[in-house]
Structure formats: structure tokens, C-alpha cells
Amino acid sequence: MAEFKYSNIEKEMQAYGFDKVIKSHCRMCHGGCGTLIYIKNGVVKKIAGDPDCPINHGTLCSKGIASAQLAYHPDRLTYPVRRVGAKAGGKWERISWDEALDAIAERILNTKDKFGAESIVMGYGTGRENEAAIYRFANLLGTPNVLTAGHFCYGPRIATSIITCGTNPVVDYENDPKCIMLWGNNLVISNPDEYKGEPFSASLSKGAKLIVIDPRLTRAAARADIWLQLRPGTDTALAYGMLNVIVNEELYDKEFVANYVHGWEPFVRRINEYSPEKAARITWVPKNKIIDAARLYATTKPAGIQWGVAIEQQINCADNDRILMAMMGITGNLDVPGGQMLFRPPKINNVGTFGAHKMLAKEQAAIRLGGDRFRLAANFGIINPKCVWDAIIKEKPYAVKMLFLISTNPMLTRANAKKVREALEQIEFMVVSDFFLTPTAELADIVLPAATWLEMDYVGDFWKRHGYLLPRRKAIEIAECRSDHEMLNDLAHRVGQEEYWWDTFEGGLDYILEPMGITWQDFKKMDYIRGDVRYQKYKEKGFATPTGKLEIYSTLLEKWGYDPLPQFREPPESPYSTPELYNDYPYTLITGRRLPGFFHSENRQIPWLRELHKDPVVEIHPQSAQKEGIHEGDWVILESPRGKARQRAKFFEGMDPRVVSAEHAWWYPEKKDPDHGWDESNINILTDNSFANCDPAMGSTHVRTLLCKIYPAKK
Amino acid sequence: MTIHEIYIDDQECWGCKTCEVACKQEMNAPEGVKLIVVSEDGPKIVGGAPDFTYRINMCQHCNEPPCADACPEEAIAKRSDGIVVMDYELCSGCRACIEVCPYDAIDFDDDKSIARKCNLCHHRVDRGLIPACADNVCLAHCIHFDDSNEKKKRDNMLAS
Ligand code: SF4
Ligand code: SF4
């Protein structure tokens, strides 16, 4: 265990007369960097990176630095409110925490009594590390329905890796990978899990080879030894093309394949269906590049695949994840130094245990919404959003009567936003916990003021797969804001769950740490704790799968009635799958290009971050722009069969002219009416949420590629 | 006397703009005023291959600063340690410096009606700290201040 130490701090304190500095752990995105929070007169004056943190080594991103502007934002909700009058009427009355929690508790108990616990859906977005507490509350309440981003973000990596190799394989940057394949990920400007951009960048500076798979020319693509500019949505076919080379040129690890792989022969048969020529035809990537990339990746060791959410928000979600795991495994890169590690956390009550999944009655788990349809997801407690909207609107297979949404803004971030809005207008009772009155919160009955990461104690990253735990230490308090964990701990006492919760949530932190024989007060004094790092554990114990092997051929998927091997499906809307639609909607639209400073729908009201991007921007190739009569900087309309959104055109030659690239989750906090411009630039008005547009096993909505038209907006 | 030096390796830059926000945190420049600016360069074809880079622009702390000569208020001066400092108390907002800066590194603060530029965080440097943008914020570690190893590396590169 590392010592708690300061570095370069004393001079900083002297120069500015700060009263104190608190080491903490940022949570402005999906993973956390170590931070130093400088305080004067009780106010956060400066945020810097913690040089001793193994995740970021003192560097930060713009979001972390701007956190104080979030905490002290004048528009922040700082006390609970209850809606007065119609939904989206914008009229609220201040209530006390007791009034709020009593009203919510009463509603929960009545609804459970009348319609069953399953009629109450809990939900969170790309959470504030509140997921374990939310699952705990839901499971103890008896509802199997927790609506998260997990169907199409990170959840698939966890679910597919558990059934394929036991846990999520993470690139071992600390041992210098010699080759990195960046697949649908741009971790230097986005919000990556586990490690951040810093160690990746350092590996490249030390000379690692780089392969980038991306439809857009990013800086990483420009720096790459090989850039594969694929047709959006064809990742599985590209991976098969590369595997064809790796297998037929015998570049794989024969010893590993002979001893540790389940399903090699059928996999090779499937691989042989995808010659590099065929893969080239499907993916638009030249055959030679596919071959070169396959050779470079398979022969440069150790190698890591840095993957991201782009390949998960697709119909091929689970199979994309699984085929990449197959590639890591057969090239001998799984669980080796500098390769792709199956790290283990320290001995703790982990996120699954804390989530109290075992406390949910079997009969309740059996009626999880969409459970019979998306069986991989259901086995991991994950549901598809459309199942919830349908249950609200059509009351099928049963009625959902209450939503309890914590840090999520689904009107901006889930597919077919108009349908989402319709469901939120219809739901009988909705509670939201958030920092601001977002467009989603404006439809709630009660809104609770949530605390930022600066305002809470927590065991940071305890559910992540790099094996580290990092203390998040409370630095400030803002008015009546409360962390979601404290809020649920309190509410739990009001709905009869007190036996399973604590006097204060610090008891929950002690519970996480208890197996190590330490308390939160002990942990607070440390920099971090890491689980033991051991390599090639499979040699002694096998992989933690039913066969004990790397299950390229998944026995569990087979049992659940799915293709046990990764399968390529053509995107549901594309020039090839829907040629007639393509006549009217002649561009492939990709959505969700990441922007430094924003985290999905968050941060548009933070001055330093909004200054980085004033307006939503759609990138279009100048050739296509000319064809459509679009000038650089114009407002343009993007349209799909579901609806329209407007963004500003930016010319970008680093993309195939047949592709346009829009930004996601835009709303306008500066518009003070209760709509906040939610339907003006919202790309999810265009995306499709039909079940046919979802991964059949994971239920992930294919929001990343669709067909659109694009034309100048009328002045 | 040490002559201070800041060096940014554009080739390593990822365009994350953390340095811009670190500068905002330190200098609190109003919206629209940037003392360090990260901009896109490309896409373009370089040597037959597609290229795309970021460029970081800030005051170059010129050896013979034309802005200092141009300023009628004598608000800009080069210090003996190399830092070109603009004194905001003396600035009258005439914009003469903006006209002459060859690097387009001076911005105008409409609220206060004064010019603003990077003063290389001299208030930090004078206290033994390094400028905010160079203080280990950059994930690419591409902003170097008074870094003798980095200087050696560069001199070798130029020599070879
Ligand atoms: S912090 Fe570094 S990588 Fe990010 S924009 Fe600035 S120079 Fe580039
Ligand atoms: S402001 Fe412009 S001219 Fe003046 S020192 Fe800086 S770069 Fe040179």
C-alpha cells in the first residue's frame, strides 16, 4: 500500500495562501483521475492532477479542472423541489428533504402494493459511481428493472468478457505494450474507463506501434502506422478479415490455442468465410491494409486492443466485443505483461455483492422487462430502454407506474427521443436526482439536488477492472445537495430496508472495504490500494468460464439460444441493407463523436467547457457539402425517417464523402424555458429504437450508424 | 540569470484543450479571450499520406518584441529573464500591439477594454512555480518549461 504523500504542493500553498489541499478522485467522466483540490476560506480555488496517482500521473482533462464551475454554478439545484401544475410547466416549489423523501417513500410503497415492485423502474446514466447503491436499493425493493446505459455502454464489455474469458481485459499500459490497436476509441479526448489517455500517450512516445480503426481521421489516426478507415458499423467483418490473415498465415499462438481455447475448429470455419477480399468489400478498407494491420498486430508483442463504446452502440455489440477478445487471446496477448490483463481487485465486497443481486427473488428476476428477448443482458441485470417506454405507454407486459432516474437525461441520450419524451410525459410519477433541472428533470414530480464528486466520500473505481481503489474525499458542501448514496441510504430507511443499510453511508464504505480488515477512515489516509497483479493465471486455474477456456464459442450464448460464435450483421440501415431508403437518405450518419469537455449531455452550462464548443457541429466532406449547397458554418438540417435536428456544418476531409458525423446529446441550458431546446439539435431524434435495431443478445441500440439526408436550414 | 523558456511539441499534442482550461483556471480570462489556443491543422495530405495535427499558439516571448515597441503606453516590456510582460494597469486598449504581433498571440478583452496575452505566469515563475499550462496538466506531456533535457533533445535534433 502506497504512502499518502504530497508533491510540489507546499510552494503552491504558499504562493496563493491556500488553507488546505485535499487529495481526491475525479468523477466527471466514466473513470477517475487523482486530483488535488486547493481550498481557501472553505471554497475550492483550484483543481490540479495528483502526480502520485497511477491512473493519470498528475495530468487532468478539461472537465476535471472545471469541476468547481459545476459545483458553484448559479443554476444548480440546491434544494429538493416539487412540481406545481402541469409537466414541463416550469413551476416548482421548494420542499424539505424530509418532505421529499417521505413523499417518495410513500409513493414507492403504495405503487409496490398496488402494482408490484416491478412497476417501479430505477435508472441511471453513465453514473456517478452510484450504480452499486442503486442496484442495492432496487434489488431489496424487489424490482428487477434498473434502466441504465449498460445495454450499450460498458455493460456489454462486462457481460461478454465474463462469459468469454472471466473478466474485462484491460490494456496493461504499465508494462509498455509494443503495439496498440485503437478500435472505435479516442481515449485522449474522450472519457475512457480504467486507464486514461496519459499512459496510452506515454506508450506511444516510448515507440509502441499504433493501428487505428476509425471512420474519421483523428490525430491518433494520423499518427498511426496503419489507419483502417472502415465503413461505419462493419467492425465484425473487419475483425474477421484480419483473423483470416492471422490464422491462414499461422501468426497465432498455437500453444495457447491448443490448450486454452474452446471452439477453435468452428471458429476457423467461420473465419474462412471472410477472405480479406470479402472483408475489404464489406468494410471499404483496402485489402492490403487489412493484411498489413493483421500482421503488425499479430507479430508485435506484447500488444493491446484499446476498445471503446463506439463498437458497442451497434447491432453487433456483443459480437464486436467477443471477436476482439478472441483476437487478443489467439495472438497470445491475454493476461501477459504489456498485453491485455485480467486484473483482479483487492479483496472487497465488490460491486456485485454490494448491489445485493442475490436478494432479488427469482420470480422477480424472471419478469425483468425484455428478459425473454435480450437474454445476455438480462443475465447481467441490464434492460433495454424501449422495453421500459413500451411498458409505460402500452402497459405491456405489465404497467410501469414510477420512474426514479438518478443522473440520467434519457431524452437526450437514448434512441428515438420523441418516444422517450412521450413515455416521460405519460409516466404517473417520476423522481429525478441531478445537478440541474435538465429537460428530463423538467418532466419530474420531485427533483432532488445531487452532490458532485467534490461533495462526497467514496471508494472510487471500486467497480472498475484495473484493480485499483482510490479514495474520493469530500472537500466541500453545497447548500442542501446530497450524494445519491446518502440519499438512497436515507430513503432505504423509509421503505423498510433499514436492516441492509447504515446509519450514514460511511457504513457502506466500510462494508466495501471490510474484507481487507480496514475502514473508510483507514483508507482515507492512503493514496490507493491495488489488487495483486499476477500474469497468465489461466495456466493454473483456467479461465473463469463454464469450460475453463477462452470461450470463443460461447456455451452460455448457445444455451440462451444465440449463435455461439461472433456474427457479422449488416447495419439495419445502410446502402446495402435498405437500398430504397438509401435513395431518399443518401448519407451514412455517424453519431456521438467525442468532444473534449463534454460528457454526453453534461457540461453545456459550464463556461470554460462550453467555450470550447459553442454550437453542435456536423462534419461533412466538402465535396458532399457542395453537392447539397451547404457552406461552412451554416446551420443545416439532418433528417432521418424518425425526425430532424439542426447542427452547424463543418467541412472535414478526413472522412469518406458518403459519411457525415454529428454530435450527440446537445441541449441548451441557456434557454430558460422548460424545454431547454431539447428537440433542436438532438441527434437521438433521428436514431431508431426498434427491437430490430438492437443487438439480439445484449439489447444495445444501434445508434451509431443510420441513414440521413442533410440540407441547409432555412434562414 | 536563467532565461526562461517554454516549448510545446505540437506533434505530440492530442487536441484535448486541457491547457486552455488550465490557463482559464489560472488567469480567469473572460469568455472568448484565450491566452493559449489549440487549433486544428488539417486534414491535409503530407507526403502522400493523410495528416491531421493540432497547433498550440501563445505569446512567443520574442527576443525583440514588436508589441513592446508598438505600445504607446509602454505597457509591454521584456524582462531580463526573457518573459515579455504586459502590464494591464498601463494598457489603454489602443490595440497597437495586436496589429504588430507576428504570431497573432494577443487577444482583446472587451469587458475591460484591454489587450491580454500570455505573461508566462510570471506571478508563478517568480515564486518558483511553473506556468499553469506546463504544470503537468498535459496528458501528452508536450508542454515543457525550463526543461534542460528537453532542450538537449531539441538541440540534438536540430544538429543532426
Ligand atoms: S493539454 Fe497537451 S495534448 Fe491537450 S491540447 Fe494542450 S498541448 Fe495538446
Ligand atoms: S505578444 Fe506577440 S510580439 Fe509580443 S512577445 Fe508575444 S508573440 Fe512576440
Side-chain angles (χ1 to χ4, degrees):
Chain A
M1 286 173 205
E3 283 289 297
F4 185 86
K5 56 184 185 222
Y6 294 103
S7 74
N8 192 20
I9 289 170
E10 269 159 42
K11 277 187 197 165
E12 197 83 39
M13 303 275 291
Q14 266 171 16
Y16 296 87
F18 296 130
D19 301 327
K20 59 177 171 181
V21 61
I22 296 171
K23 280 202 179 203
S24 194
H25 184 234
C26 179
R27 185 62 191 176
M28 291 292 277
C29 80
H30 205 226
C33 291
T35 51
L36 301 172
I37 307 168
Y38 292 97
I39 310 253
K40 191 169 176 175
N41 300 328
V43 176
V44 176
K45 288 291 180 193
K46 172 174 177 152
I47 296 176
D50 175 5
D52 298 324
C53 178
I55 306 300
N56 54 311
H57 299 121
T59 68
L60 273 190
C61 87
S62 52
K63 299 182 291 294
I65 294 179
S67 301
Q69 282 199 330
L70 168 65
Y72 298 118
H73 199 287
D75 293 347
R76 228 182 126 184
L77 184 67
T78 51
Y79 44 81
V81 290
R82 177 160 50 204
R83 196 185 69 237
V84 185
K87 284 196 184 197
K91 291 216 175 63
W92 301 93
E93 63 175 355
R94 179 176 186 162
I95 53 175
S96 71
W97 267 104
D98 274 332
E99 279 175 280
L101 293 182
D102 280 343
I104 296 166
E106 192 188 321
R107 192 78 189 200
I108 286 177
L109 294 173
N110 283 341
T111 307
K112 179 175 174 175
D113 208 39
K114 268 203 225 146
F115 304 100
E118 64 278 10
S119 68
I120 302 164
V121 174
M122 306 282 296
Y124 61 84
T126 302
R128 298 179 196 127
E129 285 202 290
N130 45 22
E131 37 289 283
I134 295 170
Y135 267 108
R136 184 177 188 83
F137 188 91
N139 284 326
L140 292 167
L141 182 66
T143 176
N145 296 321
V146 179
L147 175 62
T148 75
H151 64 298
F152 70 171
C153 176
Y154 199 69
R157 249 160 294 169
I158 299 307
T160 57
S161 64
I162 287 176
I163 64 168
T164 306
C165 60
T167 184
N168 182 15
V170 172
V171 180
D172 183 20
Y173 290 108
E174 291 174 46
N175 285 296
D176 297 336
K178 294 284 178 287
C179 175
I180 301 169
M181 186 145 70
L182 197 57
W183 198 307
N185 189 262
N186 195 10
L187 76 168
V188 284
I189 62 153
S190 63
N191 311 289
D193 319 295
E194 285 91 24
Y195 292 101
K196 316 307 276 179
E198 191 272 341
F200 161 80
S201 189
S203 298
L204 291 189
S205 301
K206 286 185 205 159
K209 298 281 182 208
L210 177 65
I211 302 167
V212 171
I213 288 98
D214 201 310
R216 294 176 60 252
L217 179 68
T218 58
R219 174 65 191 137
R223 252 181 96 165
D225 296 275
I226 302 175
W227 170 38
L228 305 181
Q229 186 182 20
L230 83 172
R231 175 166 69 92
T234 61
D235 305 77
T236 336
L238 180 61
Y240 266 124
M242 290 176 66
L243 282 160
N244 190 291
V245 178
I246 293 170
V247 169
N248 289 310
E249 296 188 3
E250 300 194 25
L251 304 177
Y252 59 95
D253 182 330
K254 296 208 178 102
E255 200 261 337
F256 182 89
V257 165
N259 296 303
Y260 305 108
V261 166
H262 180 70
W264 181 244
E265 280 85 28
F267 187 47
V268 171
R269 281 197 294 279
R270 182 73 60 91
I271 286 172
N272 281 327
E273 291 170 23
Y274 289 89
S275 64
E277 291 78 8
K278 180 173 168 187
R281 263 198 319 276
I282 297 173
T283 62
W284 298 349
V285 178
K287 176 185 140 191
N288 288 344
K289 287 206 171 183
I290 298 177
I291 295 172
D292 289 349
R295 287 179 186 156
L296 183 62
Y297 171 73
T299 58
T300 319
K301 287 181 189 181
I305 302 180
Q306 174 67 47
W307 48 355
V309 71
I311 62 168
E312 290 179 339
Q313 302 191 323
Q314 295 187 15
I315 194 159
N316 296 313
C317 165
D319 288 341
N320 281 338
D321 282 351
R322 284 184 14 84
I323 200 165
L324 295 189
M325 284 180 253
M327 214 185 285
M328 299 163 194
I330 70 161
T331 52
N333 281 304
L334 266 187
D335 224 21
V336 297
Q340 209 103 26
M341 279 299 292
L342 307 175
F343 290 116
R344 294 178 313 177
K347 222 163 140 275
I348 50 170
N349 282 319
N350 69 17
V351 57
T353 309
F354 194 100
H357 294 281
K358 294 215 171 97
M359 302 290 290
L360 182 69
K362 284 227 166 57
E363 317 81 76
Q364 288 304 98
I367 57 168
R368 176 167 288 134
L369 286 169
D372 45 355
R373 184 187 293 272
F374 302 117
R375 298 177 295 281
L376 170 60
N379 272 284
F380 289 86
I382 290 169
I383 56 182
N384 166 286
K386 183 178 192 294
C387 298
V388 176
W389 317 141
D390 285 355
I392 295 170
I393 296 168
K394 302 182 198 152
E395 309 208 332
K396 294 240 163 67
Y398 48 79
V400 163
K401 297 289 186 184
M402 178 173 176
L403 282 177
F404 193 160
L405 302 181
I406 298 171
S407 65
T408 180
N409 196 357
M411 264 162 52
L412 277 305
T413 53
R414 299 293 173 266
N416 206 345
K418 282 189 196 155
K419 273 282 165 208
V420 180
R421 167 95 185 191
E422 196 185 317
L424 299 190
E425 276 172 357
Q426 269 196 42
I427 188 73
E428 275 181 21
F429 195 80
M430 177 160 84
V431 181
V432 166
S433 169
D434 217 322
F435 305 138
F436 299 99
L437 284 171
T438 64
T440 296
E442 294 280 5
L443 297 174
D445 293 87
I446 290 179
V447 188
L448 303 172
T452 68
W453 66 273
L454 292 164
E455 301 153 54
M456 67 174 76
D457 286 331
Y458 202 63
V459 182
D461 274 7
F462 96 100
W463 56 295
K464 276 293 158 69
R465 300 306 197 274
H466 48 33
Y468 285 102
L469 310 179
L470 304 109
R472 177 168 307 132
R473 301 178 184 87
K474 181 171 177 168
I476 49 169
E477 249 172 38
I478 302 284
E480 293 184 19
C481 299
R482 274 171 143 191
S483 77
D484 298 324
H485 319 83
E486 290 287 357
M487 177 270 287
L488 288 169
N489 190 53
D490 187 336
L491 187 62
H493 285 76
R494 299 174 199 242
V495 296
Q497 299 184 9
E498 57 277 1
E499 188 187 336
Y500 302 100
W501 296 76
W502 303 274
D503 289 345
T504 68
F505 194 71
E506 185 171 331
L509 303 181
D510 291 342
Y511 172 70
I512 294 172
L513 301 165
E514 188 183 272
M516 287 188 296
I518 61 170
T519 65
W520 168 250
Q521 292 303 330
D522 301 323
F523 184 47
K524 229 176 127 171
K525 298 189 189 99
M526 302 172 189
D527 270 356
Y528 57 84
I529 301 178
R530 192 182 203 190
D532 288 343
V533 179
R534 296 209 355 249
Y535 299 101
Q536 293 187 309
K537 299 176 285 294
Y538 60 84
K539 288 201 165 162
E540 296 152 42
K541 294 187 182 160
F543 288 98
T545 60
T547 57
K549 299 197 169 177
L550 172 68
E551 290 207 5
I552 297 178
Y553 183 106
S554 169
T555 55
L556 286 169
L557 284 177
E558 186 172 45
K559 188 174 115 192
W560 297 328
Y562 296 108
D563 188 345
L565 289 172
Q567 190 188 110
F568 169 65
R569 301 166 199 83
E570 178 62 27
E573 270 183 27
S574 84
Y576 307 104
S577 57
T578 52
E580 273 166 32
L581 196 68
Y582 183 57
N583 281 336
D584 294 333
Y585 299 91
Y587 292 95
T588 296
L589 173 65
I590 54 178
T591 64
R593 181 176 81 246
R594 293 299 185 251
L595 303 173
F598 293 158
F599 187 40
H600 303 299
S601 65
E602 291 192 319
N603 300 347
R604 266 69 173 185
Q605 60 281 84
I606 310 297
W608 293 338
L609 303 179
R610 182 63 178 279
E611 195 180 355
L612 304 178
H613 319 275
K614 199 162 162 288
D615 298 316
V617 165
V618 54
E619 292 175 341
I620 180 167
H621 196 283
Q623 275 169 24
S624 307
Q626 201 187 17
K627 214 159 80 194
E628 305 300 332
I630 291 167
H631 304 283
E632 174 118 59
D634 279 359
W635 283 101
V636 298
I637 304 290
L638 292 149
E639 185 178 335
S640 84
R642 270 80 49 194
K644 303 174 189 174
R646 62 181 217 139
Q647 304 202 346
R648 262 192 207 280
K650 177 183 170 197
F651 288 5
F652 188 69
E653 281 178 86
M655 224 165 37
D656 190 293
R658 293 166 284 188
V659 176
V660 296
S661 161
E663 295 171 0
H664 77 304
W666 269 91
W667 58 291
Y668 298 94
E670 67 273 24
K671 298 195 175 175
K672 295 301 176 197
D673 66 287
D675 277 353
H676 307 294
W678 78 276
D679 58 352
E680 291 176 24
S681 302
N682 181 355
I683 210 63
N684 277 318
I685 288 185
L686 280 73
T687 54
D688 179 12
N689 71 343
S690 68
F691 290 140
N693 197 48
C694 294
D695 179 294
M698 197 64 217
S700 56
T701 323
H702 186 99
V703 294
R704 283 305 186 102
T705 75
L706 55 148
L707 293 178
C708 78
K709 48 181 146 188
I710 179 166
Y711 49 89
K714 288 204 192 73
K715 294 264 154 60
Chain B
M1 162 116 277
T2 340
I3 303 297
H4 294 300
E5 202 188 27
I6 193 159
Y7 165 63
I8 304 181
D9 185 350
D10 287 340
Q11 288 301 309
E12 296 273 318
C13 170
W14 295 110
C16 73
K17 304 197 177 189
T18 307
C19 49
E20 281 192 7
V21 176
C23 179
K24 286 273 165 174
Q25 175 171 249
E26 184 63 33
M27 300 308 301
N28 214 2
E31 199 201 317
V33 177
K34 290 185 179 181
L35 313 183
I36 177 168
V37 181
V38 182
S39 55
E40 294 178 359
D41 185 8
K44 58 187 174 190
I45 303 294
V46 176
D51 198 19
F52 181 77
T53 50
Y54 290 92
R55 299 265 171 251
I56 297 113
N57 195 36
M58 60 191 288
C59 170
Q60 305 293 304
H61 300 274
C62 303
N63 282 335
E64 286 167 25
C67 56
D69 292 344
C71 177
E73 311 293 338
E74 297 189 2
I76 308 174
K78 190 166 179 81
R79 306 200 317 185
S80 56
D81 62 2
I83 305 181
V84 175
V85 175
M86 178 185 282
D87 184 340
Y88 300 128
E89 299 289 310
L90 297 178
C91 176
S92 66
C94 76
R95 300 177 192 244
C97 56
I98 298 179
E99 299 292 317
V100 298
C101 174
Y103 301 101
D104 203 11
I106 310 183
D107 226 333
F108 197 76
D109 177 345
D110 286 314
D111 295 350
K112 294 201 179 119
S113 273
I114 52 168
R116 302 255 341 226
K117 74 166 198 75
C118 159
N119 280 346
L120 209 58
C121 284
H122 67 89
H123 59 290
R124 290 174 60 78
V125 172
D126 292 344
R127 289 175 174 84
L129 292 161
I130 62 176
C133 62
D135 196 8
N136 196 25
V137 295
C138 167
L139 86 158
H141 301 289
C142 65
I143 310 183
H144 306 273
F145 181 75
D146 288 355
D147 184 332
S148 52
N149 288 334
E150 213 42 54
K151 191 170 169 11
K152 241 181 261 156
K153 250 200 314 203
R154 252 182 314 143
D155 292 346
N156 289 343
M157 245 159 57
L158 290 177
S160 64

